Amino acid sequence: MRHGLGAALCAAATVAAQALAQFPAPPVMAAHDVPVGATGIWRTCVEGTAITEFPMRVVGLMHNSIYPGEPVILCAALDARNQHSGPVGGMSGSPVYLDGKIIGAYAYGPINQRDQALFMATPIEAMIKMQRLPLQASVSEYAAPGAGAYAAALAPLAVAGAGPLATAWLAEQLAPLGIAVVEGGAGGTLEMDTELLPGSPVAGVILHGDISASAVGTVSYRDGDTILAFGHPFLQCGAIEMPMAAARILAVSHSFVRSYKMANTGPIVGSIHQDRSPAVVGTIGRMAPT
């Protein structure tokens, strides 16, 4: 038995080492080093599971705004497609790069924009701190102050299987909490790409089965089998055990009120174990004991 356990531990260590080698942490740029006016790119998925690259420009740092005492990076999307849609629910976590270095994650957007696509990126260094938090850290640590009326967190709750009346009722109940509810799709057995890379769609799942409820966002950063996503909290639960699923984007719904990605949630591929103000943290291959 000891020999078998030792072999299993060695095999697990080998797999972990391979994952770290295959997905090394990318180089980062701190917010105070980000040059105003610089142009770069951001990556997300707008159809299927393919990652698309879009141009952006740094407008400046907004200090003491979303996070008291901390900046967010105000950016402008430069392509006509995103200028038309404005901020899109489901873009949350889309990684933003300058000179090949990640600076942060698309996380908030001013509502009711016209002929522009400004978005606020959570600095990557704030997100990486969440990766290092112990699981027993309290919910009050890194609590989200709320984005206010001018900015919307971009990860609506997608509900499938409940029917339009129940979904509308749920939307009404959650509206005072600032949680948008949209119609979604789900199918845990659907075949789809489950290799979560920066820019890939990912879902935090709170209900899975005949009726499902999940928030689809975007992977921001991957270090081995650990991912950071969203750039803002899901439910601000702190340390948590929540299933994490792959997702496939069907389309982007362009709305005067709030554009969002329409998606199918796919198979469970890991778990989210931190749900904090700057990011959610998940591990691929780690199953949540629900």
Side-chain angles (χ1 to χ4, degrees):
M1 292 294 290
R2 288 183 178 179
H3 176 74
L5 178 60
L9 291 174
C10 287
T14 300
V15 171
Q18 291 172 343
L20 289 170
Q22 187 177 2
F23 299 104
V28 304
M29 183 184 295
H32 65 264
D33 292 328
V34 173
V36 175
T39 56
I41 60 168
W42 57 286
R43 294 175 179 151
T44 195
C45 175
V46 293
E47 185 176 354
T49 57
I51 297 170
T52 303
E53 193 171 284
F54 295 101
M56 52 71 63
R57 181 182 70 252
V58 176
V59 176
L61 296 185
M62 295 181 67
H63 295 279
N64 201 34
S65 177
I66 303 295
Y67 309 107
E70 300 289 341
V72 292
I73 306 166
L74 182 62
C75 303
L78 301 178
D79 62 292
R81 180 173 186 170
N82 283 287
Q83 289 175 350
H84 174 65
S85 68
V88 175
M91 295 293 191
S92 301
S94 300
V96 184
Y97 300 89
L98 285 179
D99 298 326
K101 297 180 179 179
I102 182 171
I103 64 172
Y106 185 130
Y108 299 92
I111 59 176
N112 299 326
Q113 297 185 62
R114 176 175 292 181
D115 299 326
Q116 62 183 352
L118 296 173
F119 64 88
M120 301 160 194
T122 299
I124 190 60
E125 64 266 33
M127 299 176 68
I128 290 174
K129 289 178 184 178
M130 304 304 100
Q131 181 182 353
R132 300 168 183 161
L133 275 181
L135 291 179
Q136 65 270 26
S138 68
V139 174
S140 62
E141 293 184 63
Y142 304 98
Y150 69 93
L154 301 172
L157 186 69
V159 177
L165 292 179
T167 302
W169 176 86
L170 183 61
E172 183 179 343
Q173 303 307 306
L174 295 181
L177 302 177
I179 299 175
V181 176
V182 300
E183 294 179 355
T189 60
L190 291 176
E191 292 186 6
M192 63 180 64
D193 184 1
T194 58
E195 185 177 45
L196 301 183
L197 302 174
S200 295
V202 64
V205 180
I206 60 173
L207 191 61
H208 188 64
D210 293 338
I211 298 175
S212 69
S214 61
V216 175
T218 305
V219 176
S220 312
Y221 174 99
R222 180 167 176 177
D223 184 0
D225 281 336
T226 300
I227 70 163
L228 304 174
F230 286 29
H232 60 65
F234 177 15
L235 299 174
Q236 191 59 55
C237 295
I240 192 175
E241 293 288 354
M242 178 188 295
M244 180 173 71
R248 177 187 290 139
I249 306 303
L250 301 175
V252 174
S253 174
H254 294 186
S255 167
F256 287 111
V257 178
R258 193 175 189 182
S259 300
Y260 64 95
K261 293 182 180 181
M262 304 181 74
N264 281 324
T265 301
I268 303 297
V269 295
S271 70
I272 291 170
H273 45 86
Q274 294 286 0
D275 178 13
R276 303 284 175 175
S277 180
V280 299
V281 184
T283 299
I284 298 168
R286 178 183 185 272
M287 294 298 105
T290 57

